[in-house]
Amino acid sequence: MDIRYQGDAVLVAGHLQIPVQAELMAGPDAWRGSLRGVPTSRIFELFDIDELWLCLPNGQQRRVRQEPASHAHDSEFTIVPISGEGFPPF
C-alpha cells in the first residue's frame, strides 16, 4: 500500500530555505515525489549543493536528492523530482 503526502514543505539547500508544495509517495522500499514552486532562478544553485533536506510541517526532515529526470518549468518556477533517504517523513 502506498502512502501519500501533498502539502507544504521547505527545501533546505545550504543557506537557502525554499517554501515548496510537495507531492510525495512512499512505497514498500522507498519514497519519492516532486517539489513545485522552486524558483527557476535558484535551480542551478541546487545542482551545486551536495546536501538537500526536506522539512515538513510535522517537524520531520529528511535528506533528499534530485532525480535525473527532466525538470518541468515555466518562466518563474520549476518542478524538481526528488527521492528521499530513510523512513518517509509523512
Side-chain angles (χ1 to χ4, degrees):
M1 181 174 165
D2 292 334
I3 301 171
R4 297 178 184 270
Y5 172 80
Q6 285 187 297
D8 295 333
V10 175
L11 178 63
V12 178
H15 69 282
L16 299 174
Q17 293 189 8
I18 303 169
V20 295
Q21 285 294 306
E23 295 180 14
L24 308 173
M25 182 176 68
D29 299 320
W31 64 278
R32 65 189 65 235
S34 61
L35 305 178
R36 297 180 178 275
V38 176
T40 301
S41 62
R42 299 286 193 184
I43 196 67
F44 292 109
E45 289 177 70
L46 296 181
F47 291 139
D48 293 334
I49 295 175
D50 291 330
E51 286 197 27
L52 299 174
W53 292 84
L54 187 65
C55 303
L56 298 185
N58 65 5
Q60 295 290 312
Q61 61 183 5
R62 297 290 186 276
R63 189 172 175 178
V64 296
R65 61 185 169 277
Q66 293 184 66
E67 288 295 316
S70 62
H71 295 69
H73 60 86
D74 59 26
S75 61
E76 191 174 349
F77 295 104
T78 300
I79 299 170
V80 177
I82 61 162
S83 59
E85 296 182 5
F87 190 76
F90 48 94

